[in-house]
């Protein structure tokens, strides 16, 4: 039986950050992971360039049943501190829309940085290790039984992430462990995920696959995102859709504004004055792809000249383009989701240390908790911030 001060299960974003922080405090730290490689999700994130944080991170960028929970960790380890860490390691990065920061070269640099920090902090990272059981000892502390032997620790940190992308090694381990110790786990569902068509809509719209347009998407609770919308073979994707999927419940319609920066009624009125004989299709094609117009409107209507349109037809066109209400079938699920909504109930945890209020010495950090961020580097930032907060305490 090998003894450690801290065992962290999960060598992902939160686990590695926590390990280095605890290691620098002089704690004897072991990180265990069943994967062959540490930080697999980091490696594929941001199209291989890792959107590692955002210049402006606020509690409002997170979905959590207790919206105050994230405040303490984000305030104590804000994105600026992670940016400084990245700079100290000489990693070059750039800023994209909405304050998103990406590596110039490769996400590998972020994993290498975390592994280097762990090495400098004296952390032992052991991969390819199956966790067989976890028990709380009578004399405090925990025993972790693994495929590579038994380990004992005083503090046990669960950083096994959510359910998204099972191909990358995601498992429900963290939720099961929470339940084993009597902690409440809130229902989980896929987040930051594309939508799929109903079968009739599929027939109508699948030919639009590849078309991207600016949009504003509105969920039923009024949440809105203005970003690109992408038509795919299976349904809808693009940043606006991924963002709104976090606020969508099965059976709800989404509102789509395909011309968020224009007032179509005004535009059509101007066109009517300047070119009354122009067809509706040609008038609209100045703003929207023809293929999209053909899928949305009847051929006969599109062929009418602007001066032939009656008021009700103009209203119908404006309504369809500015407030298209669309019922989606479902999401693509965990297979392609970037995050998992729900998870270990934050009411069970200290927002300062991430320790369980019921089981002393047991901590949960990162995505396994009921905290999910918007697209844009917010999920990694919560992993860094919760990892550091826990690493300072465990
Ligand atoms: P994470 O999933 O990173 O790590 C969990 C670790 O636990 C893994 O190493 C896993 O192998 C291990 N594990 C799981 N079960 C285990 C078990 N039973 N036994 C042992 N080990 C186990 N976010 C962002 O901010 N910017 C971005 O650019 C992206 N991009 C992105 C792309 C894609 C395709 C995905 C799927 C996700 C993103 N994300 C993102 C989200 C981000 O990757 C995610 O929020 C963090 O990785 C969560 O960090 P954690 O450390 O909590 O879990």
């Amino acid at each position: 039986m090998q003894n450690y001060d801290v065992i962290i299960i999960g060598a992902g974003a939160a686990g590695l950050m926590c390990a280095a922080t605890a290691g620098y405090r002089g704690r004897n730290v072991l990180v265990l992971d069943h994967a062959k490689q540490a930080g697999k999700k980091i490696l594929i994130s941001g199209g291989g360039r890792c959107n590692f944080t955002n210049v402006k991170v606020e509690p409002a960028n997170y979905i959590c049943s207790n919206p105050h929970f994230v405040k303490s960790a984000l305030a104590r380890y804000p994105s600026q501190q992670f940016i400084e860490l990245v700079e100290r390691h000489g990693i070059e990065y750039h800023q994209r829309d909405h304050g998103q920061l990406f590596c110039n070269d490769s996400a590998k640099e972020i994993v290498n940085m975390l592994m280097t920090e762990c090495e400098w902090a004296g952390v032992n990272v052991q991969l390819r290790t199956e966790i067989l059981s976890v028990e709380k000892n009578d004399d405090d502390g925990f025993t972790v039984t693994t495929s590579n032997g038994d380990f004992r620790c005083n503090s046990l940190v669960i950083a096994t992430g959510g359910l998204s992308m099972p191909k990358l090694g995601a498992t429900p381990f963290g939720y099961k462990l929470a339940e084993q110790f009597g902690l409440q786990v809130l229902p989980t569902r896929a987040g930051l995920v594309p939508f799929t068509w109903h079968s009739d809509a599929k027939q109508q719209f699948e030919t639009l696959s590849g078309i991207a347009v600016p949009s504003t998407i509105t969920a039923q609770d009024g949440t809105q995102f203005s970003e690109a919308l992408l038509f795919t073979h299976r349904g809808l994707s693009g940043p606006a859709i991924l963002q709104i999927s976090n606020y969508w419940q099965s059976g709800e319609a989404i509102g789509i504004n395909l011309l968020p920066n224009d007032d179509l009624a005004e535009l059509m009125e101007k066109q009517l004055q300047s070119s009354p004989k122009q067809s509706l299709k040609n008038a609209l094609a100045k703003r929207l792809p023809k293929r999209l117009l053909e899928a949305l409107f009847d051929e006969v209507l599109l062929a009418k000249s602007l001066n032939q349109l009656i008021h009700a037809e103009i209203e119908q066109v404006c309504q369809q383009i500015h407030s298209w209400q669309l019922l989606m079938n479902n999401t693509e699920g965990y297979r392609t989701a970037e995050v998992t909504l729900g998870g270990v109930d934050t009411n069970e945890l200290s927002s300062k240390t991430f320790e369980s209020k019921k089981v002393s010495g047991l901590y949960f950090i990162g995505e396994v908790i009921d905290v999910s961020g918007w697209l844009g580097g917010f999920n990694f930032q919560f992993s860094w911030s919760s990892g550091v907060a826990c690493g300072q305490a465990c």
Side-chain angles (χ1 to χ4, degrees), residues 11 60 134 207:
V134 173
T207 54

Side-chain angles (χ1 to χ4, degrees), residues 192-363:
L192 297 181
V193 61
F195 286 131
T196 55
W197 299 123
H198 273 293
S199 51
D200 48 343
K202 184 170 164 67
Q203 276 195 340
Q204 194 178 354
F205 299 118
E206 71 179 339
T207 54
L208 301 181
S209 175
I211 289 181
V213 287
S215 70
T216 295
I217 313 285
T218 310
Q220 289 220 336
D221 68 358
T223 308
Q224 284 196 331
F225 289 95
S226 293
E227 290 194 61
L229 162 73
L230 173 70
F231 289 84
T232 71
H233 192 65
R234 289 194 208 94
L236 293 175
S237 187
I241 291 295
L242 300 187
Q243 299 279 33
I244 215 72
S245 70
N246 280 350
Y247 295 87
W248 180 82
Q249 303 285 346
S250 182
E252 288 181 356
I254 51 168
I256 304 177
N257 184 347
L258 292 166
L259 281 181
N261 306 317
D262 293 300
D263 180 335
L264 185 59
E266 226 172 71
L267 276 178
M268 283 175 68
E269 185 55 39
K270 278 190 194 150
Q271 296 269 321
L272 178 66
Q273 302 305 325
S274 59
S275 339
K277 294 214 165 120
Q278 183 175 218
S279 70
L280 174 65
K281 187 172 181 176
N282 285 342
L284 294 177
K286 294 196 170 81
R287 291 284 196 284
L288 290 165
K290 277 194 175 158
R291 272 202 291 149
L292 174 56
L293 297 171
E294 285 159 5
L296 287 176
F297 300 108
D298 182 79
E299 246 178 86
V300 180
L301 179 69
L302 285 176
K304 282 192 179 178
S305 58
L306 294 178
N307 60 4
Q308 285 176 322
L309 293 172
I310 58 168
H311 184 69
E313 287 171 326
I314 296 175
E315 271 200 345
Q316 180 212 331
V317 171
C318 291
Q319 173 83 9
Q320 175 78 44
I321 287 183
H322 281 313
S323 11
W324 183 15
Q325 294 296 311
L326 191 56
L327 265 179
M328 298 307 295
N329 179 39
N330 209 334
T331 71
E332 289 188 3
Y334 294 120
R335 190 179 59 82
T336 58
E338 285 199 13
V339 291
T340 302
L341 296 154
V344 177
D345 189 348
T346 53
N347 289 318
E348 301 278 9
L349 307 173
S350 153
S351 62
K352 294 204 167 49
T353 62
F354 292 82
E355 186 174 14
S356 158
K357 290 176 186 169
K358 283 187 188 135
V359 185
S360 69
L362 179 63
Y363 301 76

Side-chain angles (χ1 to χ4, degrees), residues 9-15 32-35 37-42 44-47 50-53 102 129-131 159-162 164-165 168-173 336-339 365-368 374 376-381 383:
I9 305 182
L32 297 172
D33 199 303
H34 65 167
Q37 214 177 2
K40 273 190 172 179
K41 276 196 190 160
I42 303 173
I44 59 146
S45 67
C50 186
N51 175 196
F52 55 81
T53 192
F102 287 77
T129 303
E130 299 296 329
I131 314 299
T160 44
S164 48
M165 300 232 170
L168 293 176
T171 71
F173 178 89
T336 58
E338 285 199 13
V339 291
I365 54 172
E367 203 183 313
V368 71
W374 290 4
F378 301 103
N379 285 295
F380 279 136
Q381 185 56 44
S383 293

